Amino acid sequence: MLQKSLTALNKRMQHIASEMERTHIAEYVDLLNRPISLIWRNLLSGVARGVGIAIGFTFFAATILYVLQILGALNLPIIGDYIADIVRIVQIQLEGKGY
């Protein structure tokens, strides 16, 4: 009976050890013990995230402006005037001039 319990406990401990190794808990603890490295990694990831957002927004805004220019060229009665005004304002802002 005792041997069976010890075998089951040993099997369970090996399973827990393999799961901890699979989750890389040792590397995480090592990273927490080196705060400069943690700060550096977080800084780099923040900069990368900010650059990605800026590039993504640029492509999104360019696409929207392109679609608005196409809609403005269609000369839709009421919507065309608003779209033309929006495109004109954006182009003035992109050129760096005031209203």
Side-chain angles (χ1 to χ4, degrees), residues 10-29:
N10 187 24
K11 184 184 263 188
R12 183 71 178 150
M13 289 296 288
Q14 286 178 353
H15 177 70
I16 290 171
S18 67
E19 287 294 316
M20 286 181 70
E21 197 162 311
R22 188 178 63 83
T23 59
H24 303 287
I25 195 85
E27 287 87 2
Y28 179 69
V29 171

Side-chain angles (χ1 to χ4, degrees), residues 36-58:
I36 299 297
S37 176
L38 183 63
I39 291 170
W40 178 247
R41 286 183 186 206
N42 284 332
L43 179 68
L44 285 178
S45 66
V47 168
R49 189 174 298 119
V51 168
I53 289 171
I55 291 171
F57 180 74
T58 301

